[in-house]
Amino acid sequence: MNTEEFLHCLERLKRDYPRWDAPAKRFENAYKRTPYTILISTLLSFQTRDETTLEAGKRLFALADTPEAMSHLSEETIAEAIYPVGFWRKKAASVREVSCILLERFGGEVPESLTALTSIKGIGPKTAKIVLENAFGASVTAVDTHVHRILNLLGYVHTRSPEETDRALETLLPAEHRRGLNRLLVSFGQTICRPRRPDCAHCPLRECCPRAR
C-alpha cells in the first residue's frame, strides 16, 4: 500500500470515527484535559486497560490536577488513588517525581518539545509523543501495539516492532498527516479491527484491507 492509498484509508476512518464507542475516546470528556493531566494519565496507562486508567485518573485528579498540588500528596495517597493500574506503586512514585521535576525545571509547565520531555526521568519517546499529539496538536504519532499492528495489517509498513514502525513513519508519512493518527488507529483497533474477533463485516476499510480481500 502506497501513501496515497493509505491516506484514502485514513479519510474513511475519520468519517467513521464519530460512531465508535472506543475506550480511548472516553478520556476526552472524563476530566479536565490539560497538558499535565494528559501526561499523567499517559504514565498511568502503560500495561493497563484504558477503562482502568480512566477511573484511576478520575480519582487522582479529583485530589490534584496540577504539579504543585500533586507534589503535596504522599506516594501512599497517590498509590491508593490509582490502584489497581499496573505497577501502581512504581507509578505513584513516578507521578510524584515527574510533578516535582516539572516544578523545579519547567516552572510547573509541561514542556512542548520531545527533547525536553524525554529529559525527564520516566518519560520515554512514546509517552512524549502522546503528550505532544494530544496536548499540543503536534504533527507526531505515538506508535503503540494497535498502531504497529494495523499499519502492518494494511501493508503500509513491514516492520517487526513498534520502534521500527515509528522510524518507518518518519520517512513514509508526511508530517501533516501524523497528527491524530494514534487516537484514530487506537480507537479503530479497540472497536473494529480488534486483535481477536475483528468486526470485518462493519469495517470501513474492508475494500482496501489485504486480509479482507
Side-chain angles (χ1 to χ4, degrees):
M1 177 179 288
N2 60 37
T3 295
E4 183 178 353
E5 292 170 329
F6 180 61
L7 293 178
H8 177 66
C9 289
L10 289 186
E11 289 305 313
R12 290 188 175 198
L13 292 181
K14 289 174 183 177
R15 289 196 297 268
D16 224 44
Y17 177 82
R19 294 194 287 270
W20 302 336
D21 183 24
K25 292 177 64 178
R26 297 171 197 161
F27 286 89
E28 296 171 6
N29 300 307
Y31 39 74
K32 184 179 179 181
R33 298 275 284 179
T34 67
Y36 177 71
T37 60
I38 290 171
L39 169 59
I40 297 303
S41 63
T42 303
L43 292 175
L44 298 181
S45 69
F46 291 112
Q47 296 189 328
T48 303
R49 291 175 61 86
D50 279 345
E51 296 89 341
T52 303
T53 303
L54 183 67
E55 295 305 317
K58 287 180 181 179
R59 293 190 297 271
L60 180 61
F61 299 138
L63 299 176
D65 63 0
T66 66
E68 183 176 9
M70 195 71 71
S71 70
H72 293 305
L73 299 182
S74 66
E75 284 186 24
E76 292 76 11
T77 299
I78 297 172
E80 289 176 3
I82 67 175
Y83 179 84
V85 300
F87 305 99
W88 50 283
R89 289 190 183 279
K90 184 176 180 180
K91 288 179 181 177
S94 181
V95 165
R96 195 172 190 284
E97 183 174 13
V98 166
S99 300
C100 291
I101 291 173
L102 290 177
L103 287 169
E104 294 166 4
R105 291 176 48 196
F106 300 100
E109 300 294 329
V110 176
E112 298 185 37
S113 77
L114 184 66
T115 301
L117 279 167
T118 54
S119 74
I120 300 172
K121 181 181 177 182
I123 299 180
K126 183 164 69 172
T127 297
K129 286 187 175 183
I130 290 174
V131 173
L132 292 174
E133 177 183 339
N134 290 282
F136 301 112
S139 296
V140 297
T141 296
V143 177
D144 63 5
T145 55
H146 281 297
V147 175
H148 169 66
R149 175 177 60 84
I150 292 169
L151 290 178
N152 275 276
L153 180 64
L154 293 175
Y156 187 57
V157 299
H158 302 279
T159 55
R160 293 174 294 180
S161 69
E163 290 75 22
E164 285 187 19
T165 301
D166 185 52
R167 291 192 292 271
L169 278 181
E170 293 290 331
T171 58
L172 286 172
L173 191 63
E176 63 268 23
H177 297 296
R178 295 179 208 149
R179 184 186 301 119
L181 186 61
N182 176 275
R183 181 172 60 251
L184 183 66
L185 293 186
V186 168
S187 299
F188 177 56
Q190 290 178 335
T191 55
I192 306 295
C193 192
R194 299 183 294 264
R196 298 179 181 179
R197 299 177 63 187
D199 188 7
C200 296
H202 297 96
C203 178
L205 303 185
R206 57 186 175 273
E207 294 179 7
C208 56
C209 175
R211 174 174 291 183
R213 290 202 301 267

